[in-house]
Amino acid sequence: MKLGILVTTDKHLDAITGITKSAISKGHTVSIFNMDEGTKLLLNPSFTALSKTQGVTMAFCDHSAKHVNVSTEGIPGEIACGSQFDNANMNHDTDKVIVF
């Protein structure tokens, strides 16, 4: 199964991390897309470390990051700087989507 996680807030890091690791441990893949306040998690190394996990893809909305003054310098190269098109692709390509 392909699981999508849409992150619109910076309040649920432990839940996002736990769900991601659990899904990967069961052989699923996870796609994470950050937008709005959720882009603030890009400043947290424990969140961005998920991008280096096999089976996890990550992207964020550059417009949202700029809107909430999140610097994208130093973000791991595995995390794609994108747009709402990436969100649409995640929703299309995954079997289930969880929204935080």
Side-chain angles (χ1 to χ4, degrees), residues 10-39:
D10 61 347
K11 299 181 190 313
H12 304 288
L13 177 59
D14 291 339
I16 294 164
T17 301
I19 290 168
T20 300
K21 289 181 178 181
S22 179
I24 293 299
S25 74
K26 293 179 175 149
H28 304 299
T29 59
V30 178
S31 178
I32 300 172
F33 183 79
N34 294 60
M35 61 182 280
D36 299 332
E37 297 287 320
T39 58

Side-chain angles (χ1 to χ4, degrees), residues 15-75:
I16 294 164
T17 301
I19 290 168
T20 300
K21 289 181 178 181
S22 179
I24 293 299
S25 74
K26 293 179 175 149
H28 304 299
T29 59
V30 178
S31 178
I32 300 172
F33 183 79
N34 294 60
M35 61 182 280
D36 299 332
E37 297 287 320
T39 58
K40 291 179 180 179
L41 288 177
L42 296 169
L43 303 174
N44 188 317
S46 64
F47 178 75
T48 58
L50 290 172
S51 69
K52 298 184 185 299
T53 305
Q54 186 173 350
V56 175
T57 59
M58 296 177 76
F60 68 94
C61 177
D62 185 51
H63 177 76
S64 289
K66 288 176 181 170
H67 183 72
V68 296
N69 297 314
V70 171
S71 173
T72 57
E73 288 187 36
I75 292 175

